[in-house]
Amino acid sequence: MKPFLGVNTSLYHSLNLQSIEFLERAVTLTEQGAYEKAQVILDRDLASQRLNSAVVLARAELALKQLKYGVLYRTLDEVLTTASNAGDWDLDASEYRLMRLLRAFAAFSHKADINPAVEEIGRARDWLKAVPVSDYTDIQVNYVRKYVLLVLFTSLSSNYVPDDASLIPKPSHDLVAWQGLTDLRQSLLGRGMLNEAIALFKVERSRLPVLERADASLSFLSHIERHVSLTEERSAWLLVELNIYLAQSFHERHEVEKGRIAFGKAAELLQRWCVLSNHQDPETLTPHLEMRLFQLRLLSHEDPVVYFNESMKLLEIMKTCCHTSTTACYLHAAEAADSLAVDGVSTYREQFFALHQEREAYQERVQENICSLLSDQLRLFQVATNNVTDLIKALEWVDHFMEKYKDFNIPGELINMHRFRELAWVRLNDSEKRARERTEVERFTGSGATHYGRLVGVRQSKVTSNSPLTADPNFESEFPLDIDEDQFYREWTRIDGDIDATQLKAMQLTQQWILNDIEYGVIQKDEVLIILGLPDQSGTGDRFVGELESLSPESTFARIFRQGINPAAPVGKSLWEIRFSCLKSWLSRPSLRSARNSRQFLLMILQELREHDVAHSQVPLDEQVLEIERCFTTLENLPPRVKEIVAMKAPIWHGYLARRYISFATSAEFGSDQVGVALEKAEEQCHQSIKQHQEMGDVVHIAFMQRTSAEVCALRIHWLLRQPGKVLSTELSKLQGAGLRDLEKAESFFSSRHQESAWSSNLEDLEARDKINLLESSWKVPLIALQLLRAGDFESEEDRGVQTWNWVQRSKARSLAMTMGVAGIMPSTLRKEISASEKCRSLYDKMVSLQEQIQSVEPQQKFWLRRELDLHILEMRKEELLREVCDLWDGRPLTSSDLGRITAIAKTPVVLVDWIHVPAVFTGDGSLLLLTAQSGRTPTVTTLETTIVEVEKWIYNYLDSPYVQSDEERGQSKKPTDDISSLVEPLIARTQPGDMLVFCPTTALHRVPLHAIDIEIDDDLQPLIYRNPIVYSYSHSLLRICLWNSQLAAESPSRLNPLTMNGIPPNLEDQVYSDARKSIESLAQTLGTRALLDARATKAMFMESAPASRLIHVHTHVHWHEADALMHHIDFSNSESAGAAGKLTAREVFSMSLIKGSHVSLIACSGGRTRIDPKDAVMGLVPALLRSGASSTISTLWKLPGTAGARFAEAFYRHFLQEREALPDGGFVNMAKIFQLAVREVDEVDSMRHWTSLVIHGFWSFFVPGQET
């Protein structure tokens, strides 16, 4: 019989000869990588021996080879549970100890549970600490192999491993970490246990110092070549494996030529083995795949296209056979795709994400490796979440992952996860959530690993990180043996972007290394005095060391970066220049306690901290520029590996320089030559930054810098215009064109970010989009475009008008429009057109399917489905018919065809009127523009005389001041709106009487009654609303959605089912309450419904009744909340629902669902107030009502007496019913004209201050069904 190949042969006595043959065949196939064939033998031919220890361990070994941790865990748990329940099995026998250890190993990855691993490490020490290597059995050898891996995994993730864990097996002589592995291998070879020795060497080699690995491999090779008992076939196979190890060892020492020769030898031997064994398909053999994978790693620095293609080819083979390194191959292929992705929509970028999506599924469903799944996903998010939208998606993935795997308890990964969250909240500017995650990081840090990296646990050699050799300037390129280097960089990567954590770590490290180098004489006292700004009279010896040890990190920072220098600085040099020179000299010297690369990296960090410190201090701009330039100089002098890590910051520094030059230009005398020079430098820095970001494929920073570049163009134009005799129209046009092209590119990116974040109509998603807009400052892009469009000459004023109009539309209420669009339902006419096109129908159906999947799948899977939906919508946009749907969801501006459709539906000319505030390029109030657009005409642009400052002053004087005069006090000689009449005067020439005007104000103008400003009508001054019906809209893109909602009401007509409520607390002696009550009772009777009064007028009743009504009228109190517009609320505080129970907030209204096309009248103080911010995002009760389905609302901009409100309501609904009676078969009534009639009527009896607060928002066409009582 052939010699056994297995490593647990002492267990074969329990099997018959046939079973042993089957088992040996399975072991052989497993070794070769034919995993499916091995599985068939174990499942079919050895089914009757399923619980036999030798078979169980073979099944476990097969699962482990494929890293199928779930299968491994279940296989062992079944046997161990059976053994435990049996009661008469010896669970202390070696084979069951091995099974328990393997189960703990599986639990670490499959269950993300570290506790079994810690327990088994303790048991192993107790069992084997006194066993000499000469007494080890084959099972114990196998046990030790798995024990080493378990210790490594646990050490990398926690500090739960005792220091003496590496003394198993017990070393024969010196107590050196893992020396017992070498001693054990030599003992096994002496005892003829060759299979066990070879298996052990694979583990032993990974624990050997790098410089000793090649010699160990050569020694073992020599032994195998002399081993006469081996068959030629078996010898060839073992020599293949050992030559691969030898090649890898040479490459680790950067002895590339020796490595190439060893690989060549391995390939020859593998070919010989195939001939000897008559093996026809070497492609899937384990050694062949290992050689290809290692060669693939070498390709990572070569042609990226070749690297990607080879990665994909190898990945396909590895997936087929479930090779151990399949996940690693996924990561290689994704890395290659990432390096080839130079823009946000490239094929390679999508392949990058597709590969990671496959990798995630492979880890979770095939390998069931939960621990690595989180670890690799966090690494993905660190490199791929370079914009706020993706960051929010990533946070959602992590949140749902931790919700799904609640028992996850691996400290190292929990630290990484909380650090990721912490840095995410830093970027999202949420200090409260950041603090919460920081607390979690600190809570787990005590349990976290003390060392990281590929060489953790490697025993020391004669050449180590503590050797003077590591200080050789050429050492890094020859022998990268700093065993702490991986750990060192990983710790810095974890806190990248967190300036506070970076500062703390840098100060701790600086202080620690100074103390170390004082001990070894690497740094002198006078140098320490300069670096830390300490006085001459500081102590000496131990006293001096004690003074240094007592410094806190905060004190160290203050001394290094802000303390004066003693002795005094030489003339002509800054304090920091002297200090940095001293730091540079010190950190360039060899040290016995820190490696050269680490020291140089710290030097770079210290210079970055200096740059950040001066940027946030009252330091002259030229000094800020100097420190950024010093960052570049320091970068150039770094060792290769450190430079590679830091180089990605260079384009960001170019951006910093551009901003500093812009700051100088805007703070100096603007017409000076120095300003011109500064702007030229800013332009050059922008171009450098964009170029380098493009090389890295960083689409987010490219967009930011394109915006900055356009800003520079606007500044240069205005500077040139102030240079008498120097202005060339061609130069102005060139700058203007370049700036607008940059802004178009930036806007395209930011729009895609907004589109990708349009996942649902939830309020949370609206707030997320607003946060994205605010953090990315994408709202600035249209304003810079308007500054460019207003500067210099334009070939065509019509073209200037069109572009100005388009840019203004991009700036208005985009987030709200997107939210309403996602919530909207298409009119049947559009649905029919889509259904008639096979391609459009297919694309639309897929979109609906994706949306439904996102709602139904496990939350963790939403990350990828949302990415797929984002890409699918890009495909939909290629079809003109579907583009209208996408425009709706994306909140895009109205097109000329949209305006034509609205005009046709209205059956009257419709004029869209916009106001926008364009900030000054340098100093001043900027300009207010009034724009108009109507179907078939070119948009018009007018610069108004009134400034935004004057508007804000008017608001204070007439609305907010505690000393606002009444009409009687002010007299009739002057109306309040006379001071701002220029805001609407251009409309006299731009529009015709009777035109439907749609007003879209900006910022502070949302509080101004623009419709009530007097204009000249028939030689008399009258409010503009007398001349034209007027509705308001937060953006014209919202108008399209309100139009759709009104059309939907006609497609599925339902009864109006009017709802009338009076929420004012009962007080019969109060005239306000009395008038409101009478109004509601009268109105209810008129509309044929029952009034909800007093105890029945509750919040609960409103929320129950409103969704069933299409005509809602509420007369009550509303309270505006300046700090939080979502707390803007309707007050139903009657006797039975006082306090919070009686407050219906805008946040709650957002979650309601009204009938599409309903109308809401909210006669209450300040019901129409909205939040105003620089980006024209809006929030309040009226936006919430429109989002909930209303197509039109009536509300008030400020306080309105109950009597005046009642009078208006009576007039409005009387005219409404008159219009309704004219449509016996149903149809649309014009709510804007009805509003116009009602306002004119109450103007005759009410104070102007009262009726002017009333406004109507939305679309004016309201459908009423026929034959309704």
Side-chain angles (χ1 to χ4, degrees):
M1 189 172 182
K2 290 182 179 180
F4 292 144
L5 298 180
V7 292
N8 301 308
T9 55
S10 63
L11 300 175
Y12 283 9
H13 66 85
S14 59
L15 297 170
N16 59 38
L17 289 177
Q18 186 180 33
S19 295
I20 292 174
E21 288 180 6
F22 282 136
L23 185 57
E24 280 287 298
R25 180 59 180 159
V27 168
T28 301
L29 290 170
T30 300
E31 182 181 55
Q32 293 173 2
Y35 302 134
E36 287 188 10
K37 293 179 180 178
Q39 192 71 58
V40 168
I41 292 174
L42 292 169
D43 290 344
R44 181 190 64 195
D45 302 324
L46 292 170
S48 62
Q49 303 291 333
R50 179 178 180 81
L51 297 182
N52 178 275
S53 295
V55 176
V56 169
L57 289 172
R59 289 165 54 207
E61 196 69 36
L62 175 59
L64 186 57
K65 284 284 187 181
Q66 301 171 86
L67 299 187
K68 291 185 175 180
Y69 292 104
V71 174
L72 176 61
Y73 183 89
R74 289 187 292 273
T75 297
L76 297 166
D77 192 57
E78 176 191 9
V79 178
L80 290 170
T81 301
T82 301
S84 177
N85 293 335
D88 56 348
W89 292 21
D90 183 7
L91 294 178
D92 286 331
S94 296
E95 59 268 32
Y96 294 113
R97 287 179 179 271
L98 176 56
M99 289 182 199
R100 279 204 306 270
L101 188 81
L102 281 168
R103 183 176 64 176
F105 189 78
F108 185 97
S109 295
H110 173 54
K111 299 272 188 183
D113 185 0
I114 200 170
N115 295 324
V118 176
E119 292 172 5
E120 288 304 320
I121 290 171
R123 288 196 184 103
R125 291 164 61 237
D126 293 340
W127 182 36
L128 297 175
K129 64 183 177 182
V131 177
V133 294
S134 58
D135 291 348
Y136 269 63
T137 66
D138 58 346
I139 305 299
Q140 287 175 317
V141 173
N142 197 358
Y143 183 96
V144 163
R145 288 166 47 210
K146 305 306 189 295
Y147 167 81
V148 174
L149 296 176
L150 188 62
V151 168
L152 177 60
F153 272 46
T154 310
S155 298
L156 287 170
S157 302
S158 74
N159 64 358
Y160 298 157
V161 178
D163 294 337
D164 62 351
S166 60
L167 299 181
I168 302 294
K170 179 184 176 182
S172 300
H173 301 292
D174 298 331
L175 296 180
V176 177
W178 303 121
Q179 177 62 41
L181 295 174
T182 302
D183 296 342
L184 177 58
R185 172 172 57 87
Q186 292 171 347
S187 172
L188 294 172
L189 289 174
R191 288 188 276 159
M193 299 173 68
L194 184 61
N195 291 340
E196 289 79 0
I198 292 170
L200 180 65
F201 181 70
K202 298 175 183 179
V203 174
E204 177 201 351
R205 178 190 168 276
S206 70
R207 302 299 87 202
L208 289 173
V210 172
L211 289 184
E212 297 179 19
R213 293 178 181 178
D215 291 340
S217 299
L218 285 168
S219 174
F220 207 169
L221 267 168
S222 176
H223 184 93
I224 296 299
E225 288 171 342
R226 297 193 310 269
H227 207 290
V228 295
S229 66
L230 289 174
T231 65
E232 188 178 2
E233 177 185 332
R234 183 61 179 166
S235 178
W237 179 268
L238 295 179
L239 290 173
V240 169
E241 291 187 322
L242 288 173
N243 272 283
I244 291 173
Y245 295 148
L246 179 62
Q248 292 172 346
S249 300
F250 282 136
H251 275 286
E252 287 169 343
R253 298 194 336 187
H254 286 209
E255 296 181 67
V256 178
E257 181 59 24
K258 290 182 178 179
R260 186 188 64 77
I261 293 172
F263 264 126
K265 182 69 172 175
E268 291 175 8
L269 287 164
L270 184 61
Q271 188 174 9
R272 177 165 177 74
W273 179 88
C274 288
V275 172
L276 292 170
S277 63
N278 195 30
H279 193 91
Q280 304 298 320
D281 183 19
E283 289 293 314
T284 60
L285 287 172
T286 299
H288 177 77
L289 292 175
E290 288 176 354
M291 284 191 286
R292 285 193 61 179
L293 181 64
F294 194 83
Q295 290 166 342
L296 184 65
R297 293 191 180 108
L298 299 180
L299 280 175
S300 63
H301 300 292
E302 306 297 331
D303 184 343
V305 175
V306 175
Y307 178 38
F308 175 75
N309 291 336
E310 290 301 314
S311 298
M312 294 299 290
K313 290 176 185 177
L314 183 56
L315 178 60
E316 287 305 311
I317 299 173
M318 286 193 167
K319 284 193 299 183
T320 302
C321 60
C322 286
H323 188 272
T324 307
S325 298
T326 302
T327 298
C329 203
Y330 269 118
L331 295 175
H332 280 296
E335 178 187 47
D338 188 40
S339 68
L340 291 168
V342 294
D343 59 73
V345 294
S346 76
T347 303
Y348 287 115
R349 171 59 57 180
E350 296 316 318
Q351 285 182 302
F352 167 81
F353 282 108
L355 284 163
H356 274 292
Q357 184 177 4
E358 283 186 33
R359 184 263 310 155
E360 179 191 330
Y362 185 80
Q363 285 178 313
E364 187 169 26
R365 300 171 194 171
V366 179
Q367 294 181 330
E368 298 178 85
N369 187 346
I370 306 309
C371 187
S372 291
L373 171 59
L374 177 61
S375 177
D376 289 338
Q377 204 72 0
L378 290 176
R379 291 193 188 98
L380 164 66
F381 294 151
Q382 285 170 354
V383 301
T385 54
N386 51 9
N387 61 74
V388 177
T389 306
D390 284 342
L391 191 60
I392 291 172
K393 291 178 183 177
L395 279 171
E396 182 187 44
W397 187 98
V398 173
D399 290 344
H400 290 308
F401 178 90
M402 297 310 298
E403 179 66 24
K404 182 176 181 180
Y405 300 107
K406 294 180 180 179
D407 296 328
F408 196 110
N409 66 10
I410 310 294
E413 299 308 330
L414 289 173
I415 291 170
N416 290 340
M417 183 271 294
H418 286 295
R419 275 180 174 155
F420 170 77
R421 280 175 165 170
E422 180 190 4
L423 289 175
W425 293 122
V426 168
R427 291 174 60 186
L428 294 173
N429 200 28
D430 194 321
S431 57
E432 182 179 343
K433 290 180 179 177
R434 176 201 175 181
R436 187 174 65 208
E437 296 302 330
R438 167 47 47 185
T439 300
E440 291 299 300
V441 169
E442 292 171 353
R443 182 166 73 92
F444 286 107
T445 297
S447 304
T450 55
H451 292 81
Y452 305 93
R454 60 190 175 86
L455 298 180
V456 169
V458 170
R459 70 170 182 245
Q460 296 295 300
S461 176
K462 293 179 181 180
V463 180
T464 69
S465 62
N466 296 335
S467 168
L469 178 59
T470 60
D472 184 336
N474 297 316
F475 178 73
E476 192 271 343
S477 63
E478 295 180 8
F479 303 112
L481 298 181
D482 177 7
I483 68 170
D484 289 327
E485 191 168 7
D486 286 339
Q487 172 191 355
F488 183 82
Y489 295 133
R490 184 174 178 181
E491 289 176 350
W492 285 103
T493 301
R494 284 175 167 178
I495 59 174
D496 187 30
D498 186 339
I499 190 64
D500 294 335
T502 300
Q503 176 181 311
L504 174 63
K505 184 172 181 61
M507 294 306 99
Q508 290 172 335
L509 203 56
T510 302
Q511 185 179 16
Q512 174 189 331
W513 286 357
I514 285 176
L515 290 168
N516 291 341
D517 287 353
I518 288 175
E519 179 182 356
Y520 290 97
V522 178
I523 190 171
Q524 302 303 312
K525 179 183 175 182
D526 59 344
E527 293 177 300
V528 178
L529 295 179
I530 291 174
I531 290 172
L532 296 177
L534 293 169
D536 277 340
Q537 57 268 32
S538 297
T540 59
D542 291 343
R543 180 182 171 189
F544 182 55
V545 170
E547 290 177 8
L548 297 182
E549 289 176 337
S550 67
L551 293 176
S552 66
E554 295 76 16
S555 176
T556 303
F557 179 85
R559 287 187 171 281
I560 292 178
F561 293 98
R562 295 171 186 169
Q563 187 85 359
I565 289 179
N566 185 56
V571 177
K573 285 194 173 183
S574 69
L575 297 180
W576 176 252
E577 192 173 355
I578 296 169
R579 182 165 283 142
F580 184 77
S581 177
C582 193
L583 284 164
K584 183 177 179 181
S585 174
W586 163 51
L587 291 170
S588 297
R589 298 171 199 156
S591 172
L592 296 179
R593 299 297 297 275
S594 49
R596 176 175 180 260
N597 281 358
S598 302
R599 293 166 73 85
Q600 290 295 290
F601 185 87
L602 177 61
L603 180 68
M604 187 73 254
I605 292 292
L606 292 172
Q607 177 54 38
E608 285 190 276
L609 287 173
R610 165 67 177 175
E611 185 281 321
H612 182 272
D613 191 49
V614 299
H616 294 80
S617 306
Q618 298 299 319
V619 174
L621 285 169
D622 57 348
E623 190 170 340
Q624 296 182 33
V625 169
L626 179 64
E627 296 307 335
I628 300 173
E629 291 174 342
R630 202 190 312 275
C631 286
F632 284 108
T633 304
T634 305
L635 172 64
E636 287 305 309
N637 295 316
L638 293 175
R641 188 175 184 199
V642 182
K643 184 185 293 186
E644 181 182 351
I645 294 170
V646 178
M648 64 182 65
K649 298 183 179 181
I652 297 175
W653 295 339
H654 283 298
Y656 288 168
L657 275 176
R659 295 308 316 176
R660 299 303 185 278
Y661 289 130
I662 290 172
S663 297
F664 174 81
T666 54
S667 61
E669 183 181 347
F670 186 62
S672 67
D673 291 340
Q674 293 92 331
V675 170
V677 172
L679 291 175
E680 287 180 359
K681 289 182 177 179
E683 184 177 43
E684 173 60 26
Q685 294 301 321
C686 285
H687 292 164
Q688 286 290 334
S689 182
I690 291 171
K691 179 183 176 182
Q692 292 180 19
H693 280 309
Q694 286 173 335
E695 291 171 355
M696 295 179 179
D698 189 344
V699 293
V700 178
H701 282 99
I702 290 171
F704 287 152
M705 292 312 303
Q706 286 168 335
R707 183 181 63 201
T708 303
S709 179
E711 185 180 350
V712 173
C713 289
L715 288 166
R716 289 195 65 197
I717 289 173
H718 282 77
W719 179 80
L720 285 169
L721 290 173
R722 299 193 183 191
Q723 307 303 305
K726 295 184 180 180
V727 179
L728 296 174
S729 60
T730 54
E731 187 172 1
L732 295 180
S733 298
K734 182 180 177 181
L735 286 169
Q736 191 178 57
L740 289 172
R741 284 192 295 274
D742 276 339
L743 289 174
E744 284 290 354
K745 295 173 185 175
E747 170 66 13
S748 174
F749 168 78
F750 289 126
S751 292
S752 69
R753 295 297 93 194
H754 281 280
Q755 176 189 328
E756 289 171 9
S757 63
W759 306 322
S760 76
S761 59
N762 295 334
L763 175 61
E764 290 75 13
D765 287 327
L766 171 61
E767 292 180 297
R769 285 190 287 276
D770 273 345
K771 177 169 282 190
I772 291 169
N773 195 8
L774 182 62
L775 291 175
E776 294 184 341
S777 298
S778 55
W779 55 274
K780 292 182 180 178
V781 172
L783 298 181
I784 298 172
L786 294 173
Q787 291 172 337
L788 282 166
L789 287 166
R790 288 176 53 74
D793 297 326
F794 221 84
E795 292 184 5
S796 166
E797 284 303 314
E798 288 188 358
D799 188 27
R800 190 205 301 263
V802 170
Q803 290 199 46
T804 301
W805 172 265
N806 289 337
W807 277 109
V808 168
Q809 301 316 302
R810 300 183 197 189
S811 69
K812 296 290 187 78
R814 185 79 173 268
S815 294
L816 179 62
M818 291 170 70
T819 302
M820 291 175 60
V822 172
I825 302 174
M826 285 188 298
S828 60
T829 52
L830 185 56
R831 287 199 303 272
K832 289 177 182 177
E833 291 181 53
I834 291 173
S835 297
S837 166
E838 183 177 348
K839 185 174 184 179
C840 289
R841 183 178 66 252
S842 175
L843 288 168
Y844 182 81
D845 289 344
K846 182 177 178 180
M847 178 217 54
V848 173
S849 174
L850 286 170
Q851 289 176 328
E852 291 173 349
Q853 288 181 61
I854 289 172
Q855 296 302 316
S856 61
V857 298
E858 290 187 6
Q860 185 187 330
Q861 298 174 20
K862 292 183 180 181
F863 179 87
W864 301 109
L865 283 172
R866 283 175 171 162
R867 281 199 56 80
E868 186 177 353
L869 179 60
D870 296 340
L871 294 173
H872 184 70
I873 288 175
L874 291 176
E875 288 298 312
M876 290 175 64
R877 284 194 169 280
K878 296 176 182 178
E879 300 298 319
E880 185 173 353
L881 188 58
L882 294 175
R883 195 177 303 132
E884 183 176 352
V885 180
C886 296
D887 285 347
L888 177 73
W889 293 329
D890 198 18
R892 299 212 172 189
L894 296 180
T895 62
S896 56
S897 61
D898 291 326
L899 184 52
R901 185 181 298 110
I902 291 172
T903 301
I905 291 172
K907 298 179 181 178
T908 187
V910 176
V911 182
L912 307 181
V913 184
D914 239 304
W915 287 263
I916 190 74
H917 173 237
V918 183
V921 176
F922 290 99
T923 58
D925 299 338
S927 304
L928 270 176
L929 305 184
L930 183 147
L931 302 92
T932 64
Q934 49 189 311
S935 181
R937 297 187 185 180
T938 302
T940 67
V941 183
T942 306
T943 302
L944 302 175
E945 296 176 4
T946 304
T947 67
I948 195 68
V949 173
E950 290 170 338
V951 172
E952 290 168 348
K953 182 179 179 181
W954 183 91
I955 291 171
Y956 177 79
N957 289 337
Y958 290 101
L959 299 181
D960 294 341
S961 171
Y963 306 108
V964 174
Q965 292 180 321
S966 65
D967 291 346
E968 292 76 15
E969 292 171 327
R970 188 171 51 253
Q972 298 301 318
S973 58
K974 183 180 180 182
K975 291 184 177 180
T977 54
D978 290 349
D979 295 335
I980 52 173
S981 59
S982 73
L983 292 175
V984 298
E985 281 176 355
L987 294 177
I988 300 174
R990 305 294 190 194
T991 66
Q992 297 298 317
D995 288 351
M996 178 66 67
L997 306 186
V998 183
F999 280 7
C1000 183
T1002 185
T1003 58
L1005 273 85
H1006 281 290
R1007 295 193 61 194
V1008 176
L1010 297 165
H1011 61 289
I1013 296 176
D1014 280 353
I1015 61 169
E1016 188 172 334
I1017 302 176
D1018 298 330
D1019 298 326
D1020 187 19
L1021 292 176
Q1022 295 180 353
L1024 178 60
I1025 196 169
Y1026 277 31
R1027 177 178 181 266
N1028 299 90
I1030 297 169
V1031 296
Y1032 286 81
S1033 182
Y1034 298 113
S1035 77
H1036 294 312
S1037 53
L1038 287 176
L1039 192 66
R1040 171 173 47 206
I1041 301 166
C1042 293
L1043 162 64
W1044 279 25
N1045 283 340
S1046 72
Q1047 299 302 297
L1048 285 167
E1051 292 176 8
S1052 53
S1054 59
R1055 294 174 55 86
L1056 292 181
N1057 192 23
L1059 171 64
T1060 60
M1061 295 185 70
N1062 174 30
I1064 300 175
N1067 183 354
L1068 297 178
E1069 297 180 358
D1070 186 342
Q1071 187 64 39
V1072 171
Y1073 168 77
S1074 178
D1075 290 343
R1077 182 186 183 89
K1078 291 177 182 177
S1079 170
I1080 290 295
E1081 289 176 330
S1082 175
L1083 179 59
Q1085 185 176 7
T1086 301
L1087 295 175
T1089 188
R1090 182 181 177 187
L1092 298 180
L1093 304 167
D1094 303 335
R1096 297 188 70 241
T1098 64
K1099 170 184 172 180
M1101 181 61 74
F1102 178 85
M1103 296 187 74
E1104 177 186 338
S1105 305
S1109 173
R1110 286 195 50 242
L1111 188 63
I1112 302 169
H1113 180 89
V1114 179
H1115 195 143
T1116 187
H1117 294 307
V1118 162
H1119 296 281
W1120 171 248
H1121 200 286
E1122 191 68 41
D1124 183 1
L1126 287 170
M1127 292 303 294
H1128 190 196
H1129 63 271
I1130 304 172
D1131 194 348
F1132 293 104
S1133 296
N1134 54 55
S1135 59
E1136 294 185 9
S1137 58
K1143 296 176 180 179
L1144 178 63
T1145 66
R1147 181 179 294 278
E1148 293 170 301
V1149 173
F1150 250 96
S1151 65
M1152 294 181 65
S1153 183
L1154 304 179
I1155 298 174
K1156 300 295 182 184
S1158 57
H1159 171 83
V1160 180
S1161 292
L1162 185 57
I1163 308 302
C1165 299
S1166 301
R1169 281 285 296 272
T1170 57
R1171 178 188 67 195
I1172 303 169
D1173 61 27
K1175 60 186 183 299
D1176 259 333
V1178 293
M1179 186 56 66
L1181 280 168
V1182 171
L1185 288 166
L1186 294 174
R1187 150 57 188 85
S1188 296
S1191 58
S1192 59
T1193 69
I1194 291 174
S1195 57
T1196 62
L1197 297 177
W1198 55 82
K1199 291 182 178 180
L1200 179 69
T1203 302
R1207 205 158 19 239
F1208 167 80
E1210 189 279 328
F1212 178 83
Y1213 286 104
R1214 177 164 28 84
H1215 289 294
F1216 169 81
L1217 289 175
Q1218 289 172 0
E1219 293 289 322
R1220 163 72 186 81
E1221 290 169 2
L1223 298 168
D1225 297 325
F1228 288 95
V1229 298
N1230 190 321
M1231 301 297 257
K1233 288 187 176 180
I1234 294 171
F1235 180 85
Q1236 180 188 36
L1237 293 171
V1239 162
R1240 293 194 64 167
E1241 186 173 321
V1242 298
D1243 184 30
E1244 297 176 1
V1245 293
D1246 274 334
S1247 163
M1248 179 181 180
R1249 180 175 177 80
H1250 297 159
W1251 73 262
T1252 54
S1253 74
L1254 291 157
V1255 289
I1256 180 170
H1257 281 85
F1259 193 72
W1260 52 91
S1261 292
F1262 178 75
F1263 183 78
V1264 292
Q1267 304 300 320
E1268 178 166 332
T1269 301

